Structures are given as structure tokens and as C-alpha cells.
Amino acid sequence: GSLAIFEASGGYVFMSMTSPSTSRVNFNGVDGNALLHFTPRWGATLDLTFAHSGILPGTNHSDNVFSALIGPVYYVKDSGKTGVFVHALIGTAWVDSAVPLSPTTEFKGYETRFSYAFGGGVERTLSGPFSFRVTGDYQRTSFVNPLLALEGQNNLRVTTSLVYRFGNRWSR
């Protein structure tokens, strides 16, 4: 087998984020991912996400989120054409947002803070070097609340991606 296998993927991301101005804000965007397998079960991934929301209630502003996360990946199952994995990622997230301070005043700005995510997914080989991957994560980011104090945000992130594998699968 190979010493390492490299995969690159790109796809669609849906995020649902807690917000000080409303219960949840939905985002749509793109996700790019690089995965280096060291063994058939272990690897490391770099995940880049950009997502955008519509206008936030009580403001004239739409939110943007960009995150860059890295961490280990463990394949719980990797048999034939299907792989099931879990991962734990750390990095940073840039949140561009607004919060209403009063009916006529809003605070607009951005915060770049530590972020982490954990979750997992399923990958299915389509044909040759191509696979389809679905990933679900809990991601923690931060922004300010109406008192202008930093507040954590709890996010659900679901990604669907087309994966390209450079090299062959591990020989068993």
C-alpha cells in the first residue's frame, strides 16, 4: 500500500447558528477540505468553510462566517465502498454579524476567535477516485451580545461534498 493517501473535497454547507437577535440563523455556503490518511483508520484534515445568511431580524445586516479548522480523523468503518468517520477539529472562526441594541440602533462588526468542531460522517465511493461525503458537526464560534459582551454560539453544520482521492485506497 501507499505511505499516505491524499483527498481533496469541495461542496455545499448548511449552518444553523444561535444568535442574540433571534433563536437561530440559517446559513448557506461552501466548504473545502483536505484529508491526509496516515493509516487506513487515521488521518488529519484541514477544513475551510464560508457561509452567508439573509438579513438578520431587527437589523439591516446579513451574517457571514469563515472558519479554518484542523484536526484528526478516525475511520470507525472502512469497508469496500463505504467509510464512516469521526473527527475533532480546532482553529479559528471569523464571524461578521450585527446585533440590535435598540429599535433604531444596531452594532455591526466582526470577531475572530478560537473555534472548535466535532462530529462525523459517511463517505461512499462513486467511481474511480470520486466519492460522495456527508458530514455533520457541532461547531462553537463567538460573537457579541446586545450588551457588547463576547458570547459563544452553538452551531449545527451539515456538509455534502464531492471527494477526489489522489492515489489508490489502502490495500488490506
Side-chain angles (χ1 to χ4, degrees):
S2 303
L3 294 176
I5 297 170
F6 179 73
E7 296 177 355
S9 68
Y12 165 79
V13 65
F14 168 82
M15 287 181 72
S16 179
M17 177 184 285
T18 56
S19 167
S21 59
T22 185
S23 60
R24 298 214 63 91
V25 177
N26 292 332
F27 291 76
N28 294 286
V30 293
D31 182 82
N33 189 290
L35 174 62
L36 184 63
H37 289 271
F38 300 113
T39 73
R41 296 231 182 241
W42 284 101
T45 191
L46 169 65
D47 183 84
L48 304 173
T49 300
F50 176 79
H52 177 77
S53 77
I55 301 295
L56 291 174
T59 74
N60 294 313
H61 192 273
S62 56
D63 276 8
N64 295 294
V65 176
F66 174 76
S67 67
L69 304 170
I70 191 167
V73 178
Y74 178 74
Y75 277 78
V76 178
K77 176 185 183 224
D78 190 9
S79 59
K81 293 183 172 257
T82 304
V84 178
F85 62 91
V86 294
H87 60 210
L89 311 174
I90 61 169
T92 189
W94 172 82
V95 178
D96 173 26
S97 188
V99 291
L101 301 178
S102 75
T104 58
T105 309
E106 63 187 47
F107 170 79
K108 292 185 272 195
Y110 63 88
E111 288 290 334
T112 305
R113 297 282 184 219
F114 174 75
S115 180
Y116 61 87
F118 55 87
V122 177
E123 188 175 300
R124 179 80 179 165
T125 300
L126 298 173
S127 177
F130 292 99
S131 298
F132 181 75
R133 183 184 295 151
V134 177
T135 306
D137 291 302
Y138 164 83
Q139 184 177 5
R140 182 80 169 177
T141 57
S142 300
F143 195 66
V144 295
N145 63 23
L147 301 175
L148 301 183
L150 201 60
E151 184 175 301
Q153 298 169 300
N154 300 308
N155 311 309
L156 169 67
R157 185 173 72 152
V158 177
T159 305
T160 58
S161 305
L162 182 63
V163 180
Y164 184 84
R165 184 182 322 101
F166 297 86
N168 296 320
R169 290 189 74 82
W170 294 94
S171 55
R172 303 270 187 256

